[in-house]
């Protein structure tokens, strides 16, 4: 069945604060928005400074980490609207609203304050985590934003390291590990690591670089001695950062607040997320607060299923969140607890091939003859184009000619490259992208 999707428009949103406790005293944040796709039609928002009451943000963080079970989605929506009003100025609101009319927005946050829960921002219509694909990076210079897209050889049963309850003190982690083993046993090659495991045991397996996915369920420690807790001590973030993970695995750490920095409310030390990214992980999924173990297992199973199906990690997370949101086990907020570090465009493997070809259907509204579209696309990386039909389409209250093309696209050509080429060469409007596969 075809799944309709609009063209992705990656946006880099920088949000920089003064370090540590100085952010409270300064009470300001430097913000900017950079379009990574359509800079010509929708110019970026230059960096500017806006006042922020960080004491209100810190109170939200304290409440989320104090007793998350007492918070329902109504209260979470209140938090989200508070963050929307505190952090997103009118200039950026208008910019995103304009882009949303034409594109599927992909938000990449570059920030030096990893504690802000951007995912739960609510813009009076929906939570950001339910409408955008999102990712985070720690930094302060947008000129250095680079993501390597590793193309690993696809295997039928991706190797997955499943570490759960290594300190033997968390029954919920045992349940989560057991649930994942049952759910994934026919889809992945699972190496379980459970029972009493020392930090050396964890280091030996994680550092072996044999896995495409690493899943950890257990306790984690924040602060200057932060890391993953084993039976004898923690495997520290600084130790993890020294590894060389040449397979560039996706890491999912379901432990207490692994998605925030090493220490709450402004303290800075190397976080577990940063450590794995430094070691070579292509992406890291962490939690913003303590989550229900059964829900975490369901969420992870959904993410892994979509990753193996060929989705980007951003799309896999978005779909998994929506599944938990639409079919909740209870009135909880754990669907919003998971944060991605790294590019939302990362994949477990390359796009699913069909004899080396990925087939997509693209609908373009334009006044030109369909032959123009064929010539444009055929000139792009030897794409094979078949104009299927012409139709009358109403867009912006005006009827215009629209043409549907089935395009055979080499797997190395992304949909962003394809549609950007169309926009740049055809005098018309790229209306939407509809995937066949």
């Amino acid at each position: 069945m075809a799944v309709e999707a609009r063209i992705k428009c990656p946006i880099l949103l920088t949000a920089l604060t003064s370090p540590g406790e100085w952010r409270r005293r300064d009470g300001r944040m430097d913000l900017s928005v950079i379009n990574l796709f359509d800079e010509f039609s929708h110019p970026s928002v230059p960096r500017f400074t806006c006042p922020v009451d960080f004491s209100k943000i810190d109170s939200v963080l304290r409440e989320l980490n104090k007793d998350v079970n007492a918070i329902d989605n109504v209260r979470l929506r209140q938090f989200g609207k508070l963050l929307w009003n505190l952090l997103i100025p009118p200039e950026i609101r208008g910019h995103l609203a304009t882009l949303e009319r034409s594109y599927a927005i992909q938000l990449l946050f570059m920030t030096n304050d990893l504690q802000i829960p951007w995912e739960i921002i609510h813009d009076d219509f929906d939570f950001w985590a339910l409408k955008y694909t999102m990712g985070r990076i720690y930094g302060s210079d947008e000129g250095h934003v680079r993501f390597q897209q590793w193309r690993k050889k696809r295997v039928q049963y991706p190797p997955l390291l499943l570490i759960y309850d290594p300190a033997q003190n968390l029954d919920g982690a045992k349940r989560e590990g057991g649930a994942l083993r049952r759910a994934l046993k026919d889809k992945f090659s699972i190496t379980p690591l459970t029972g009493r495991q020392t930090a050396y045991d964890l280091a030996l397996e994680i550092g072996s670089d044999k896995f495409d996915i690493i899943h950890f369920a257990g306790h984690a420690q924040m602060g200057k001695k932060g890391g993953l807790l084993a039976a004898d001590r923690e495997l520290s973030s600084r130790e993890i950062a020294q590894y060389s993970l040449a397979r560039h695995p996706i890491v999912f750490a379901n432990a207490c607040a692994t998605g925030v920095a090493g220490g709450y409310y402004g303290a800075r030390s190397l976080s577990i997320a940063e450590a794995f990214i430094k070691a070579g992980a292509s992406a890291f999924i962490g939690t913003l607060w303590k989550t229900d173990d059964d829900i975490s297992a369901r969420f992870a199973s959904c993410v892994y299923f979509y990753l193996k199906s060929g989705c980007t990690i951003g799309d896999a997370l978005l779909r998994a969140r929506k599944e938990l949101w639409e079919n909740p086990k209870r009135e909880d907020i754990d669907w919003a607890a998971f944060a991605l570090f790294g590019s939302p465009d990362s994949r477990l493997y390359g796009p699913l091939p069909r004899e080396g070809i990925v087939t997509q259907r693209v609908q373009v509204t334009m006044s030109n003859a369909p032959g123009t579209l064929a010539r444009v696309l055929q000139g792009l990386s030897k794409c094979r184009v078949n104009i299927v039909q012409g139709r009358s389409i109403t867009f912006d209250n005006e009827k215009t000619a629209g043409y549907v093309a089935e395009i055979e696209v080499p797997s190395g050509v992304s949909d962003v490259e394809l549609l950007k080429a169309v926009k740049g060469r055809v005098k018309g409007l790229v209306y939407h992208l509809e995937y066949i596969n």
Side-chain angles (χ1 to χ4, degrees):
M1 183 178 70
V3 178
E4 184 176 324
R6 288 179 297 167
I7 308 160
K8 291 179 182 177
C9 182
I11 299 295
L12 177 66
L13 192 155
T14 64
L16 307 177
T17 66
S18 298
E21 290 301 320
W22 282 101
R23 70 176 191 148
R24 273 178 173 270
R25 302 178 190 179
D26 287 355
R28 60 185 176 86
M29 177 179 286
D30 292 334
L31 290 165
S32 68
V33 172
I34 299 174
N35 293 349
L36 302 179
F37 172 57
D38 196 9
E39 172 71 21
F40 179 76
S41 300
H42 302 283
S44 300
V45 178
R47 182 175 295 183
F48 62 96
T49 301
C50 62
V52 176
D53 187 346
F54 287 103
S55 63
K56 293 182 179 179
I57 296 176
D58 289 345
S59 68
V60 170
L61 294 173
R62 278 192 292 269
E63 188 167 344
L64 283 171
N65 285 284
K66 182 179 180 182
D67 187 9
V68 70
N69 291 324
I71 301 173
D72 59 13
N73 283 301
V74 174
R75 182 61 172 154
L76 189 69
R77 189 176 294 111
Q78 293 173 351
F79 288 159
K81 290 182 177 180
L82 173 64
L83 295 176
W84 169 255
N85 291 322
L86 285 174
L87 296 173
I88 311 301
E91 295 90 340
I92 293 179
R93 296 182 192 185
H95 188 71
L96 293 176
T98 300
L99 289 173
E100 262 189 76
R101 289 195 286 268
S102 303
Y103 301 110
I105 294 178
Q106 185 180 75
L107 279 178
L108 179 62
F109 296 94
M110 186 182 68
T111 179
N112 59 354
D113 192 335
L114 298 179
Q115 291 129 15
I116 295 176
W118 299 97
E119 290 76 9
I120 71 171
I121 287 179
H122 195 288
D123 60 7
D124 293 330
F125 295 100
D126 212 341
F127 291 100
W128 274 9
L130 292 175
K131 61 191 299 189
Y132 303 143
T133 56
M134 305 172 70
R136 304 173 173 211
I137 53 174
Y138 179 80
S140 58
D141 184 359
E142 60 266 22
H144 293 144
V145 175
R146 299 288 185 273
F147 283 106
Q148 178 68 42
Q149 295 294 325
W150 293 283
R151 296 296 184 193
K152 292 182 287 188
K153 182 179 179 180
R154 180 177 294 276
V155 296
Q156 184 176 3
Y157 300 104
L160 186 154
L161 175 61
L162 180 56
I163 305 170
Y164 58 101
D165 194 27
Q168 291 190 302
N169 60 358
L170 194 58
D171 290 338
K174 291 180 184 177
R175 292 195 300 272
E176 178 180 343
L180 282 173
R181 290 181 70 174
R182 291 188 295 273
L184 303 176
K185 64 181 180 180
D186 297 328
K187 303 179 181 69
F188 292 82
S189 175
I190 300 175
T191 299
L193 195 64
T194 187
R196 189 182 188 280
Q197 303 291 331
T198 66
Y200 177 78
D201 296 328
L202 268 58
L204 202 62
E205 289 295 336
I206 293 173
S208 68
D209 200 28
K210 298 186 298 185
F211 304 99
D212 291 336
I213 296 176
I214 298 172
H215 186 99
F216 178 88
H219 279 305
Q221 184 169 310
M222 300 294 108
K224 293 183 178 180
K225 295 184 178 181
L228 305 176
L229 289 184
D232 56 343
R233 63 176 181 86
E234 75 281 345
L235 177 63
S236 73
S237 297
R238 298 200 176 277
E239 290 177 275
I240 294 169
Q242 301 304 312
Y243 298 155
S244 179
L245 302 178
R247 287 185 72 101
H248 309 295
I250 292 172
V251 180
F252 193 134
N254 181 26
C256 182
T258 49
V260 298
Y264 294 122
Y265 318 131
R268 267 305 296 161
S269 58
L270 189 68
S271 73
I272 298 170
E274 292 172 86
F276 272 105
I277 296 295
K278 284 179 180 291
S282 60
F284 179 96
I285 303 169
T287 55
L288 301 174
W289 54 79
K290 189 181 186 307
T291 59
D292 177 87
D293 300 291
D294 294 333
I295 291 178
S296 296
R298 288 178 56 208
F299 184 85
S301 296
C302 288
V303 170
Y304 296 153
F305 170 80
Y306 288 122
L307 283 174
K308 191 180 178 185
S309 300
C311 290
T312 65
I313 191 167
D315 287 331
L317 284 166
L318 182 61
R319 294 185 185 202
R321 288 189 189 111
K322 287 183 176 180
E323 286 197 18
L324 289 188
W325 170 260
E326 293 167 359
N327 300 287
K329 178 185 175 184
R330 56 185 174 84
E331 181 60 23
D332 61 56
I333 62 171
D334 286 347
W335 61 268
F338 303 93
L340 170 66
F341 290 77
S343 170
D345 260 346
S346 296
R347 297 178 187 265
L348 182 59
Y349 302 116
L352 277 174
R354 191 187 68 188
E355 296 181 356
I357 297 295
V358 176
T359 302
Q360 301 177 101
R361 179 180 294 143
V362 179
Q363 178 173 300
V364 181
T365 62
M366 50 183 286
S367 57
N368 306 64
T372 303
L373 176 62
R375 287 195 299 273
V376 168
L377 296 178
Q378 284 171 343
L380 175 68
S381 302
K382 300 179 180 179
C383 294
R384 294 174 55 192
V385 180
N386 175 38
I387 301 297
V388 179
Q389 59 182 316
R391 65 176 61 167
S392 179
I393 298 174
T394 301
F395 188 77
D396 283 349
N397 297 321
E398 294 184 5
K399 284 193 174 183
T400 183
Y403 302 99
V404 178
E406 285 189 356
I407 308 169
E408 290 186 349
V409 184
S411 57
V413 179
S414 70
D415 56 314
V416 171
E417 291 176 302
L418 176 68
L419 274 301
K420 191 170 184 179
V422 176
K423 273 187 68 70
R425 302 183 195 182
V426 178
K427 292 183 178 179
L429 176 67
V430 177
Y431 188 56
H432 73 266
L433 175 67
E434 183 179 342
Y435 294 98
I436 295 175
N437 289 343

